[in-house]
Amino acid sequence: MPRSTLSVAIITLNEEDNLARTLASVKFADEVVVVDSGSTDHTVEIARSFGAKVFVETWKGFAGQKNSAIERCSGTWVLSLDADEELTGELEAEIVKMLETGAEIVPQVDGYRLRLRHVFLGRWMRHGGYYPDLKLRLFRRVTSSGDTRFTDRPVHESVQIAGRVETLKNDFLHHGYPNLEIYLEHMNRYSSLGGQIAAMKGKVSRSGIAFGWNIVLVPVLTFIWNFGFRLGFLDGREGLLLHLYHSTYISWKYAKAWKAAVMAGKA
């Protein structure tokens, strides 16, 4: 029985601090496709040193860039990773086994969710709703319903698969926030994108009560729920900071949605 082929799709921009770790964890793949959007550091050189197929393209948004990477893949299966993510050895072995046997034994499965382990300030966030963070990242490049693609959204893009989806047992790691500066910069950027989505969905009101609810009470209740009831406090000081700043992100998101609506004359 022939082994199914695997392509790894990664998008990059100035990821020299992360990319080598990611590429080292997927050496077993049949090909690695990297779509870069104009890095000014050594990202492209690092990708090529690992034998990746590198393409430099203008930025088209997260979904557009990831779809471009998928289009350049040739494997039966595609594993979509961010440049700051890493497979564990256990997950690698599980994927290899699937490629050798499961893909043919259970051909109706079109995708697999992977268990994401967030590492914040060097600590694995085990509680507070952060683990396991299931992500649909391993999928057939072409299914019976057509080519697999990411949905076009400003942020939190996701893969849509009409067929059967299963969940693998082992983890991959997200090393996105080694320090607070990077985390706060990301939350500022993502809250702007999230605010755009909220404004487009009409989640903005002229009511002062609704404004206070979104800007103040929702963030506070989110913190209490995740840090307290979902045991986020068990992750120590790092857990406290993560949940505190995540709640702040929610406040920023709705504040930016309200401001965008005001500028557009809708609030």
Side-chain angles (χ1 to χ4, degrees):
M1 182 183 298
R3 174 184 181 275
S4 294
T5 54
L6 174 69
S7 299
V8 177
I10 304 172
I11 65 172
T12 58
L13 175 63
N14 295 331
E15 291 285 357
E16 65 178 6
D17 293 336
N18 294 309
L19 187 59
R21 177 180 56 215
T22 303
L23 295 176
S25 75
V26 294
K27 285 184 176 180
F28 67 96
D30 298 283
E31 70 172 355
V32 177
V33 173
V34 172
V35 173
D36 187 78
S37 53
S39 292
T40 55
D41 61 6
H42 296 95
T43 295
V44 170
E45 291 89 339
I46 292 171
R48 287 176 175 152
S49 74
F50 277 85
K53 299 177 181 178
V54 179
F55 304 89
V56 179
E57 301 179 359
T58 56
W59 180 249
K60 300 178 288 296
F62 287 104
Q65 209 76 353
K66 289 184 177 182
N67 286 336
S68 182
I70 293 172
E71 290 168 3
R72 297 181 181 278
C73 292
S74 61
T76 302
W77 291 84
V78 174
L79 172 62
S80 177
L81 290 177
D82 291 342
D84 56 5
E85 295 173 343
E86 172 191 15
L87 300 193
T88 60
E90 293 82 2
L91 180 57
E92 173 188 340
E94 190 174 10
I95 292 175
V96 169
K97 183 177 180 180
M98 182 279 290
L99 294 172
E100 292 176 346
T101 59
E104 304 302 329
I105 294 174
V106 191
Q108 68 267 32
V109 175
D110 286 333
Y112 290 93
R113 304 181 194 90
L114 309 182
R115 298 159 64 95
L116 182 58
R117 184 191 303 177
H118 291 280
V119 180
F120 180 72
L121 304 183
R123 181 166 182 164
W124 171 14
M125 296 291 102
R126 297 170 180 260
H127 307 94
Y130 276 92
Y131 180 81
D133 186 4
L134 299 180
K135 302 292 186 183
L136 178 51
R137 297 290 195 84
L138 179 60
F139 46 84
R140 292 184 188 272
R141 183 171 55 85
V142 181
T143 70
S144 59
S145 59
D147 295 348
T148 304
R149 292 292 182 267
F150 281 85
T151 55
D152 189 9
R153 301 180 61 193
V155 69
H156 303 311
E157 67 288 343
S158 60
V159 173
Q160 297 296 317
I161 293 179
R164 179 176 168 184
V165 176
E166 298 287 348
T167 302
L168 295 184
K169 296 179 181 179
N170 292 290
D171 300 346
F172 71 120
L173 282 65
H174 177 222
H175 297 280
Y177 309 117
N179 58 61
L180 286 177
E181 289 78 10
I182 291 177
Y183 179 76
L184 293 175
E185 186 276 327
H186 280 203
M187 291 304 98
N188 183 39
R189 179 156 48 92
Y190 290 151
S191 64
S192 296
L193 297 172
Q196 293 176 20
I197 295 174
M200 287 188 297
K201 290 183 175 180
K203 294 184 177 181
V204 183
S205 173
R206 295 176 182 270
S207 166
I209 295 176
F211 178 84
W213 173 264
N214 288 332
I215 303 299
V216 179
L217 291 180
V218 170
V220 169
L221 293 174
T222 298
F223 176 81
I224 293 172
W225 174 248
N226 289 330
F227 188 71
F229 290 97
R230 301 177 83 180
L231 307 181
F233 64 87
L234 292 177
D235 289 325
R237 295 174 181 176
E238 293 85 357
L240 172 62
L241 292 175
L242 178 61
H243 291 290
L244 179 64
Y245 294 138
H246 175 71
S247 298
T248 303
Y249 152 80
I250 295 173
S251 180
W252 288 354
K253 179 179 73 173
Y254 284 111
K256 291 177 180 181
W258 169 78
K259 186 61 176 178
V262 169
M263 297 297 291
K266 296 180 180 180

